[in-house]
Amino acid sequence: DVVKNFDVSVNFIKSGAKVPPHTHDQEVFNYVFEGEFTLIIDDRTKTYSKGDWINIPADKPHAVEAKTAVTLLELWRK
C-alpha cells in the first residue's frame, strides 16, 4: 500500500532559488506539477518540467536550481 510505504509532501520553490547540495536518508521520488528546474546529481545537470517524475536514491548528493516557480509532489520511501 503506497500510503503505508511513503511520506508525502508538496513543495514550493521560488523562481531563481538554489537549493545547495544535500542528501536524504531515504529514497525520494518527485513529480513536477508546474515549473522548470535543473537537478544537479553526479556532476550531471538535467532540466525537469511539468509532468516529469524524478527518482533520487538515498544518500545521493544533489542540488536544485529553479528556472521558474516550481511545485513538486515529494514522496519519501519509509
Side-chain angles (χ1 to χ4, degrees):
D1 183 74
V2 172
V3 175
K4 293 179 184 175
N5 296 323
F6 291 90
D7 286 325
V8 179
S9 70
V10 175
N11 296 330
F12 303 96
I13 304 171
K14 292 181 179 182
S15 180
K18 295 183 180 184
V19 179
H22 63 284
T23 62
H24 302 279
D25 293 337
Q26 61 281 87
E27 182 177 26
V28 176
F29 296 90
N30 289 287
Y31 177 77
V32 184
F33 283 124
E34 64 182 0
E36 184 175 84
F37 66 95
T38 56
L39 176 69
I40 300 97
I41 190 167
D42 288 334
D43 294 324
R44 294 183 192 147
T45 301
K46 184 172 179 181
T47 299
Y48 292 93
S49 58
K50 183 178 180 175
D52 287 338
W53 277 99
I54 303 128
N55 173 249
I56 302 171
D59 301 316
K60 181 67 87 170
H62 59 284
V64 172
E65 295 181 9
K67 294 181 175 198
T68 66
V70 176
T71 304
L72 296 172
L73 173 68
E74 192 162 65
L75 301 114
W76 295 278
R77 188 178 297 278
K78 291 182 180 181

